[in-house]
Amino acid sequence: MSTLYERLGGAENIVRISNDIVERHKVNPAIKARFADIEDEPAFKRRVAQFFSMGSGGPTEYDGRSMPDAHRNMNINEVELVAAIDDVLDACRAHDVDDATCNEVLAILYSLKGDVLAL
């Protein structure tokens, strides 16, 4: 069986999906204010791709902060979390990721809920 990383399309497709995720977050009414002032958008998108790649079993090293550290004091609520997750799933589908793989991504994202919400 192929890895999640492979089923997501490998490095190139994960970069495309990650860029799409950030673009979706920037216009999503529930969370766009949190993404309005990204200081270094290319670096942010690179870290999103690194995290997505590493988290799906890919060979990429993630050099960003931990999920709890990255979201500490942001007071993220469940509505915002669901909006962000919906953006990720929509981006996956837009880049031809099948439903079973999207569901696996969904499970991983929900497993991070405690690391993101109201820290």
Side-chain angles (χ1 to χ4, degrees):
M1 180 178 205
S2 60
T3 66
L4 177 57
Y5 173 81
E6 292 166 339
R7 286 181 279 126
L8 287 166
E12 288 183 23
N13 207 42
I14 288 174
V15 167
R16 284 191 290 272
I17 292 168
S18 298
N19 289 342
D20 191 2
I21 290 166
V22 173
E23 293 303 318
R24 288 170 187 271
H25 287 353
K26 288 171 37 183
V27 298
N28 185 323
I31 58 176
K32 69 182 180 181
R34 295 193 180 271
F35 295 88
D37 296 321
I38 298 172
E39 288 183 26
D40 185 349
E41 190 170 315
F44 182 76
K45 286 180 176 180
R46 181 178 49 79
R47 284 204 177 90
V48 171
Q50 286 176 343
F51 185 80
F52 207 172
S53 175
M54 181 202 67
S56 63
T60 305
E61 290 289 324
Y62 173 67
D63 63 6
R65 295 179 290 165
S66 69
M67 290 299 277
D69 287 345
H71 297 89
R72 192 168 319 283
N73 299 319
M74 290 181 69
N75 297 314
I76 296 170
N77 63 47
E78 196 145 353
V79 170
E80 292 172 307
L81 177 68
V82 169
I85 289 173
D86 285 347
D87 285 347
V88 173
L89 295 176
D90 289 345
C92 286
R93 289 182 189 109
H95 293 276
D96 299 320
V97 176
D98 64 88
D99 288 340
T101 302
C102 288
N103 287 338
E104 192 171 339
V105 169
L106 175 65
I108 292 168
L109 294 173
Y110 267 105
S111 78
L112 299 171
K113 179 180 177 179
D115 292 339
V116 174
L117 288 182
L119 293 175

